[in-house]
């Protein structure tokens, strides 16, 4: 039996509750009712506390393998971590001393538990973060992952979050198709090498053979499913003529291959095995939890695995005619999990029964937990307006539904080091931002007017993004002394409108049809205001990029926009003000113009308030590290209960 000696100002306490040394690292979260509150409070006076092996000379006197808690300044090497030991009911019955992974690591600090509720991890300047205590074998299944493939936020999430989770100690695999479009984008897969593993899966009336490619990068196993159906011009979902007609086949194949990958691929010499945590993203991966429940668990395979569905956009659900169910490779008795009936008004003719299969519905029915990419969107999808026909089903699973706001890549989007912008700047020195504005005006051929409010828009030109509102409001908005720059592509109607408006307002409007990464960075840095009048926005990333660059967002109060932008209030905090932008509602031209005019007036007449808004946005924590902590909490919840099948 080991003992623990705790040294504080109040004296020395010894604990004999340690029965074993475990090799699994866990974080130390002190609880006041266990008698550690006083030591947590002393951290604020004397620094962090670490658990140190007291047999070493620098710790002090110790006998019989006892351990001592000392001040961080006196001991930074050879620390042990103190973690709770629980019985089957979850009650704490003791503590374990756990050796860290390397020298020099100290214990992560936490708020005192006496305040009640769930404690949040606190970062202390100069202290290295301790990795998460419980690690998982995580398998992301996704139709796109940056930089290999990307059409929107889904690619950003599945390209960044896995790297952060791997850095926190988890073993992470990302399974995605190996798209070859015959374009320069194909070079993204150049670092992936083919694995000596070809498998056959049964679906669509026969055996389909797929191969696997693999690249180990930034601690993550990037696995690409290779099949001729992924080799064609266009984007992952379609080309200039519309969506590919065989998308159901292409993504069903991805799901079958993703279920086999943890079992058959010896990555780094070891397979991931059956006790995996599958993160399935949108409808393209929605067949994974159905396959686990119907084809694997009945035979004892994946009985300890868990699945989490991440909904990035509920509007896309993978709906196909009911007759295609037999193609999916599922037992016939599982039709009810995917079966879907369109309402009468949505049917094409009087004899149409409206029967279909819905892959996203199948995932909602069978997964263990459900996540969306913001808290606001988690609520919206349970409403008639935002649920796209699935609101009742999602409401029935509200107890396992959570929202976690996406993070951003703070290295790619960093105004102090961005290589795409004319002048770097930071929250401590904003002088470079006006230089970015002047450079943008020069490049786009606009009059160089540093004091003229410059409004920007970056995004798809479609109905969801509220482009129709911008179109109706532009003539009235441009009556004022402002400049407006738009970047995007999509509906040809809006692309033609942008070109026509540029010809009409040569000194005030520029429309860049298409998407260009350097230009998007230049607009984000050079604009004063970013406009986002989206009808719905599950999370939104452009407003997060804008705030990091000191560009003030004006957004419609929906989904992730309402969650991430705090409305400006000039009278709070004794007149110092708070907030990071403007939120307008309802979604109307008049409401949007009113918010823009207040923002423009503040920019012109209240420079100190405007600078405060800029700085508060720039220091806002939108990192993936922050989001990863919340993901880990959901991982823990997923493993509390048995696998969900209903």
């Amino acid at each position: 039996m080991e003992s623990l000696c705790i040294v504080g100002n109040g004296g020395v306490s010894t604990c004999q509750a340690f029965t074993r040394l475990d090799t699994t690292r866990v974080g130390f979260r002190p609880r006041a009712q266990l008698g550690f509150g006083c030591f947590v409070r002393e951290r604020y006076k004397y620094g962090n506390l670490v658990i140190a092996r007291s047999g070493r000379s620098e710790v002090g006197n110790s006998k019989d393998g006892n351990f001592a808690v000392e001040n961080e300044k006196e001991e930074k090497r050879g620390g042990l971590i103190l973690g709770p030991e629980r019985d089957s009911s979850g009650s704490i019955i003791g503590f374990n001393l756990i050796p860290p992974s390397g020298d020099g690591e100290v214990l992560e600090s936490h708020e005192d538990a006496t305040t009640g509720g769930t404690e949040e991890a606190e970062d202390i300047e100069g202290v290295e973060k301790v990795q998460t205590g419980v690690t998982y074998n995580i398998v992301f299944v996704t139709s796109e992952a940056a930089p290999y493939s990307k059409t929107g936020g889904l690619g950003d999430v599945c390209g960044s979050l896995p790297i952060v989770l791997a850095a926190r100690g988890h073993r992470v695999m990302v399974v995605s198709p190996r798209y070859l479009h015959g374009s320069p984008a194909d070079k993204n897969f150049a670092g992936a090498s083919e694995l000596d593993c070809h498998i056959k899966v049964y679906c669509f009336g026969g055996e389909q053979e797929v191969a696997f490619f693999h690249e180990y990068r930034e601690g993550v196993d990037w696995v690409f499913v290779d099949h001729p159906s992924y080799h064609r011009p266009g984007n992952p979902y379609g080309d200039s003529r519309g969506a590919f007609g065989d998308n159901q086949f292409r993504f069903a194949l991805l799901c079958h291959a993703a279920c086999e990958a943890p079992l058959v691929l010896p990555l780094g010499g070891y397979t991931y095995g059956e006790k995996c945590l599958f993160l399935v993203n949108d409808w393209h991966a929605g067949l994974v939890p159905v396959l686990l429940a119907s084809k694997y668990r009945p035979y004892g395979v994946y009985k300890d695995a868990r699945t989490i569905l991440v909904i990035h956009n509920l509007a896309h659900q993978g709906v196909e005619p009911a007759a295609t169910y037999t193609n999916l490779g599922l037992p016939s008795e599982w039709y009810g999990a995917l079966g879907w009936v369109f309402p009468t008004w949505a049917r094409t003719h009087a004899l149409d029964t409206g029967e279909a299969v819905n892959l996203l519905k199948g995932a909602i029915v069978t997964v263990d937990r459900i996540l969306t990419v913001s808290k606001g969107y988690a609520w919206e999808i349970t409403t008639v307006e935002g649920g796209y026909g699935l609101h009742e089903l999602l409401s029935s699973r509200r107890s396992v539904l959570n929202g976690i706001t996406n993070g951003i890549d703070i290295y790619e989007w960093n105004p102090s080091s961005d290589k795409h912008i004319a002048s770097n700047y930071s929250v401590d020195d904003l002088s470079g931002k006006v230089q970015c504005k002047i450079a943008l005006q020069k490049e786009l051929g606009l009059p160089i007017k540093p004091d003229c409010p410059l409004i920007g828009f970056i995004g798809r030109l479609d109905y969801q993004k509220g482009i129709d509102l911008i179109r109706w409001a532009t003539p009235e908005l441009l009556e004022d002394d402002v400049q407006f720059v738009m970047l995007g592509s999509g509906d040809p109607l809006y692309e033609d409108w942008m070109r026509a408006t540029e010809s009409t307002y040569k000194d005030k409007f520029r429309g860049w049809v298409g998407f260009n990464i350097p230009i998007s960075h230049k607009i984000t840095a050079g604009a004063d205001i970013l406009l986002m009048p989206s009808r719905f926005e599950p999370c939104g990333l452009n407003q997060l990029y804008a705030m990091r660059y000191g560009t003030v967002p004006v957004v419609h109060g929906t989904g992730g926009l309402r969650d991430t932008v705090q409305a400006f209030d000039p009278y709070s905090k004794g007149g110092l003000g708070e907030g990071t932008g403007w939120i307008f509602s309802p979604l109307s031209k008049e409401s949007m113009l009113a918010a823009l005019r207040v923002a423009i007036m503040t920019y012109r007449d209240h420079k100190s308030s405007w600078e405060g808004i800029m700085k508060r946005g720039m220091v806002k924590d939108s990192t993936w590290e922050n989001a990863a902590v919340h993901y880990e909490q959901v991982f823990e919840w997923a493993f509390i209960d048995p696998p969900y099948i209903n």
Side-chain angles (χ1 to χ4, degrees):
M1 169 157 323
E2 302 290 346
S3 63
L4 180 73
C5 182
I6 301 180
V7 181
N9 282 355
V12 178
S13 301
T14 302
C15 176
Q16 299 288 341
F18 302 92
T19 58
R20 62 186 178 89
L21 288 177
D22 195 9
T23 57
T24 303
R25 299 182 63 213
V26 300
F28 172 37
R29 193 178 290 260
R31 300 287 180 182
Q33 62 267 31
L34 297 177
F36 290 100
C38 62
F39 300 111
V40 180
R41 285 189 290 273
E42 289 201 16
R43 165 173 58 82
Y44 296 102
K45 295 169 58 179
Y46 298 104
N48 287 306
L49 301 178
V50 298
I51 308 298
R53 185 179 299 276
S54 59
R56 301 192 180 189
S57 59
E58 65 268 30
V59 175
N61 297 329
S62 175
K63 297 180 181 180
D64 302 324
N66 291 342
F67 296 84
V69 178
E70 289 291 345
N71 187 281
E72 176 193 357
K73 295 180 180 180
E74 298 178 13
E75 172 57 35
K76 291 189 177 181
R77 299 184 301 277
L80 296 177
I81 297 176
L82 180 65
E85 181 179 0
R86 302 175 184 269
D87 61 16
S88 58
S89 67
S91 300
I92 297 177
I93 59 175
F95 293 90
N96 298 321
L97 285 175
I98 298 153
S101 58
D103 290 343
E105 245 177 336
V106 298
L107 195 64
E108 185 176 0
S109 58
H110 293 270
E111 294 291 345
D112 192 351
T114 56
T115 58
T118 302
E119 299 156 318
E120 295 292 334
E122 179 186 21
D123 296 334
I124 304 299
E125 184 178 357
V127 178
E128 182 179 354
K129 288 184 178 180
V130 177
Q131 293 178 346
T132 185
V134 180
T135 60
Y136 302 94
N137 289 345
I138 302 171
V139 180
F140 282 78
V141 187
T142 176
S143 60
E144 54 183 272
Y148 306 100
S149 54
K150 174 187 171 182
T151 64
L154 172 60
D156 287 322
V157 173
C158 294
S160 300
L161 179 58
I163 296 173
V164 175
L165 290 173
R168 294 177 63 82
H170 304 285
R171 191 181 185 197
V172 184
M173 176 198 305
V174 178
V175 183
S176 186
R178 181 173 178 258
Y179 300 111
L180 296 179
H181 304 303
S183 69
D186 293 354
K187 71 179 185 298
N188 292 333
F189 296 94
S193 57
E194 184 173 5
L195 297 172
D196 187 19
C197 183
H198 291 235
I199 65 170
K200 294 182 179 180
V201 297
Y202 186 84
C203 62
F204 282 77
E207 287 184 342
Q208 315 294 335
E209 182 174 321
V210 299
F212 294 98
F213 282 69
H214 173 251
E215 179 179 6
Y216 184 76
R217 178 178 62 84
E218 295 192 72
V220 176
D221 290 303
W222 304 90
V223 173
F224 305 104
V225 180
D226 192 53
H227 186 270
S229 64
Y230 303 131
H231 305 166
R232 60 183 64 165
N235 63 46
Y237 314 111
D239 54 21
S240 58
R241 293 170 292 184
F244 296 131
D246 62 344
N247 274 345
Q248 187 190 57
F249 168 76
R250 298 167 74 229
F251 296 116
L253 201 63
L254 169 66
C255 294
H256 279 274
C259 290
E260 289 293 311
L263 304 176
V264 302
L265 300 181
L267 305 177
Y270 300 92
T271 63
Y272 275 59
E274 297 180 24
K275 191 174 182 180
C276 289
L277 177 63
F278 287 89
L279 262 65
V280 298
N281 295 270
D282 277 349
W283 76 264
H284 321 95
L287 204 58
V288 168
V290 187
L291 286 169
L292 296 186
S294 64
K295 296 193 68 176
Y296 288 89
R297 288 201 185 105
Y299 300 96
V301 182
Y302 284 129
K303 63 183 183 299
D304 294 322
R306 299 293 187 274
T307 53
I308 297 175
L309 170 65
V310 185
I311 299 175
H312 300 262
N313 191 336
L314 190 66
H316 306 289
Q317 299 178 7
V319 180
E320 296 286 351
T324 63
Y325 176 81
T326 57
N327 295 331
L328 300 176
L330 295 171
S332 59
E333 63 268 22
W334 277 80
Y335 175 81
L338 280 71
W340 178 254
V341 179
F342 280 99
T344 304
W345 61 265
R347 301 176 190 178
T348 55
H349 52 79
L351 298 179
D352 184 1
T353 62
E355 295 183 5
V357 290
N358 185 322
L359 296 187
L360 188 62
K361 181 220 171 185
I364 294 170
V365 167
T366 53
V367 292
D368 298 295
R369 296 200 68 90
I370 304 169
L371 282 174
T372 66
V373 290
S374 71
K375 292 181 180 179
Y377 195 57
W379 171 79
E380 286 181 3
I381 63 176
T382 63
T383 66
V384 174
E385 296 80 4
Y388 287 89
L390 292 173
H391 56 282
E392 291 183 353
L393 178 60
L394 287 162
S395 294
S396 72
R397 302 218 62 197
R398 196 191 304 268
S399 62
V400 295
L401 172 61
N402 300 95
I404 300 175
T405 303
N406 284 339
I408 61 173
D409 187 335
I410 61 172
Y411 303 102
E412 178 184 359
W413 294 92
N414 186 348
S416 64
S417 59
D418 193 331
K419 297 179 180 179
H420 298 301
I421 63 178
S423 178
N424 295 127
Y425 59 95
S426 68
V427 69
D428 298 318
D429 181 7
L430 295 171
S431 59
K433 185 166 177 62
V434 69
Q435 300 302 319
C436 292
K437 181 177 182 178
I438 293 171
L440 180 64
Q441 291 171 331
K442 285 182 180 179
E443 183 168 353
L444 298 180
L446 288 168
I448 300 174
K449 301 170 67 176
D451 294 328
C452 177
L454 178 58
I455 304 168
F457 171 89
I458 303 171
R460 296 193 313 275
L461 305 181
D462 61 23
Y463 183 74
Q464 178 203 336
K465 299 297 183 180
I467 304 301
D468 53 329
L469 263 70
I470 296 177
R471 180 187 179 192
W472 298 333
T474 295
E476 194 171 340
L477 176 65
L478 295 184
E479 290 177 0
D480 198 354
D481 183 21
V482 298
Q483 295 176 342
F484 195 5
V485 178
M486 295 183 66
L487 169 67
S489 62
D491 191 326
L493 171 68
Y494 297 127
E495 292 181 354
D496 293 341
W497 165 77
M498 280 172 54
R499 297 185 183 100
T501 304
E502 184 173 313
S503 299
T504 304
Y505 300 93
K506 295 181 180 180
D507 292 340
K508 292 188 174 184
F509 185 90
R510 289 293 181 271
W512 186 298
V513 177
F515 186 74
N516 183 291
I517 291 177
I519 291 296
S520 69
H521 282 247
K522 292 176 182 179
I523 294 175
T524 302
D528 301 300
I529 298 169
L530 182 79
L531 179 61
M532 292 186 70
S534 303
R535 279 184 163 75
F536 68 93
E537 196 68 66
C539 177
L541 294 176
N542 286 329
Q543 82 278 12
L544 300 177
Y545 300 149
M547 287 187 287
R548 183 157 173 79
Y549 279 64
T551 300
V552 178
V554 175
V555 303
H556 174 223
T558 182
L561 301 181
R562 185 176 57 236
D563 286 353
T564 56
V565 178
Q566 182 185 10
F568 173 58
D569 181 358
Y571 304 107
S572 65
K573 296 186 177 179
L576 296 176
E578 65 178 356
T580 58
W582 277 267
I583 304 173
F584 65 88
S585 185
L587 184 66
S588 65
K589 180 188 79 170
E590 292 75 18
S591 180
M592 182 181 74
L593 283 173
L596 282 172
R597 285 166 178 155
V598 174
I600 292 168
M601 181 270 294
T602 305
Y603 171 82
R604 286 178 173 151
D605 301 335
H606 304 278
K607 293 297 185 182
S608 60
S609 293
W610 188 265
E611 184 173 321
I613 299 171
M614 291 172 61
K615 290 185 175 182
R616 285 190 291 272
M618 295 180 76
V619 300
K620 184 179 176 65
D621 183 2
S622 298
T623 63
W624 272 116
E625 285 76 9
N626 183 42
V629 174
H630 298 288
Y631 269 87
E632 288 170 345
Q633 177 63 77
V634 177
F635 298 166
E636 180 182 341
W637 291 338
F639 278 93
I640 290 176
D641 297 320
Y644 175 84
I645 301 174
N646 189 5

